[in-house]
Amino acid sequence: MDVLHFIFGIFGNATALFLFLSPTITFKRIIKGKSTEQFSGVPYVMTLLNCLLSAWYGLPFVSSNNILVSTINGTGAVIESVYVLVFLIYAPKKEKAKVLGLLTFIISIFAVVVFVSLFALHGNSRKLFCGLAATIFSIIMYASPLSIMRLVIKTKSVEFMPFFLSLFVFLCGTSWFVYGLLGKDPFIAVPNGFGCGLGTMQLILYFIYRNHEGAPKKTIPDDGSIEMGLEKSNQTKQSLNGTEQV
């Protein structure tokens, strides 16, 4: 059982790493164009908080036998920090202020969790507190593609929901779900079971709409920017009647 637990942890590390690295194409585009265009920085900030909380939960003095949770989420925190930094460099003032405010908020949340767990809680109560915090924000992270799934259904196009991203959401969620079950840890099994289900739904949508042409594509504006399906709320309401964008 311990060997199987370890194997699923390693597989979970590998799939999660691919998931964390999947936005690199987007950020190459941002750096090349020196603009964040219509991309949102919110999913990267929220994923950073999830990584920080999960890495903290996996430490031996918080929960036992979960060091593999800390290794991948510590790595993920570094990667997401780079994404957020790049986004802040190239974002317009209004979006930059929004992301900075959210970043300050999530760092404050993490600081409170660390402080309370270190100085006010011990033993199982510490694990319970940190586990609940990590679970809540893991579910929020996995739920972030829901707006994209809505967009796919509305436009009947998978243009903005890449197959491999959906595949690794499924594989990552499934790996950690099984890891949590084998380790009898609900704080790992529950959110990743949710992620496994969402990944399955994304793959089903992909195979339903992969051959559909969908709605007519927008032309490239004169200023060279490209309208993405992951648009900010005011522009999305105009084009897709309220559809938005990790």
Side-chain angles (χ1 to χ4, degrees):
M1 183 66 74
D2 288 340
V3 174
L4 198 58
H5 186 244
F6 179 77
I7 290 173
F8 272 97
I10 293 296
F11 190 61
N13 270 248
T15 54
L17 183 60
F18 276 106
L19 196 57
F20 289 138
L21 292 175
S22 62
T24 52
I25 295 175
T26 296
F27 280 89
K28 284 181 181 178
R29 172 174 170 167
I30 288 174
I31 293 170
K32 185 177 180 179
K34 297 183 179 180
S35 169
T36 57
E37 301 177 30
Q38 301 303 324
F39 293 106
S40 171
V42 174
Y44 306 106
V45 179
M46 296 308 297
T47 303
L48 173 60
L49 175 58
N50 172 65
C51 288
L52 290 171
L53 291 172
S54 296
W56 182 256
Y57 175 75
L59 293 175
F61 58 84
V62 177
S63 64
S64 59
N65 301 319
N66 281 326
I67 195 62
L68 289 175
V69 175
S70 288
T71 55
I72 187 56
N73 282 286
T75 303
V78 173
I79 294 171
E80 297 300 326
S81 296
V82 173
Y83 292 155
V84 172
L85 178 61
V86 172
F87 193 91
L88 288 172
I89 291 172
Y90 294 107
K93 288 184 178 180
K94 187 176 180 180
E95 185 71 10
K96 188 178 296 185
K98 176 183 175 182
V99 172
L100 275 173
L102 183 60
L103 181 62
T104 302
F105 177 67
I106 68 107
I107 290 175
S108 299
I109 290 177
F110 179 63
V112 169
V113 170
V114 170
F115 183 84
V116 171
S117 62
L118 280 179
F119 300 106
L121 301 172
H122 304 280
N124 195 57
S125 58
R126 174 185 289 169
K127 178 180 179 179
L128 179 64
F129 175 70
C130 295
L132 282 173
T135 297
I136 290 169
F137 286 99
S138 289
I139 290 175
I140 291 174
M141 183 193 74
Y142 275 125
S144 61
L146 284 173
S147 58
I148 296 299
M149 293 166 67
R150 182 186 174 196
L151 179 65
V152 169
I153 295 170
K154 192 172 186 69
T155 63
K156 302 186 188 306
S157 169
V158 295
E159 181 181 1
F160 303 112
M161 192 179 73
F163 170 74
F164 284 106
L165 180 59
S166 300
L167 176 63
F168 280 109
V169 167
F170 169 74
L171 291 176
C172 182
T174 302
S175 301
W176 289 112
F177 173 61
V178 176
Y179 178 90
L181 289 178
L182 292 173
K184 298 179 181 178
D185 192 328
F187 299 121
I188 296 176
V190 171
N192 286 290
F194 183 75
C196 173
L198 276 178
T200 301
M201 290 170 62
Q202 288 182 52
L203 289 174
I204 291 172
L205 284 176
Y206 184 88
F207 284 107
I208 291 174
Y209 294 114
R210 61 177 176 164
N211 294 322
H212 287 241
E213 292 184 5
K217 294 184 179 180
K218 295 183 178 291
T219 56
I220 299 176
D222 293 336
D223 62 1
S225 63
I226 300 175
E227 290 211 49
M228 301 297 295
L230 319 180
E231 296 181 342
K232 299 184 182 109
S233 59
N234 60 337
Q235 291 168 314
T236 320
K237 287 176 182 176
Q238 295 171 3
S239 61
L240 295 173
N241 299 320
T243 310
E244 53 173 15
Q245 179 190 31
V246 217

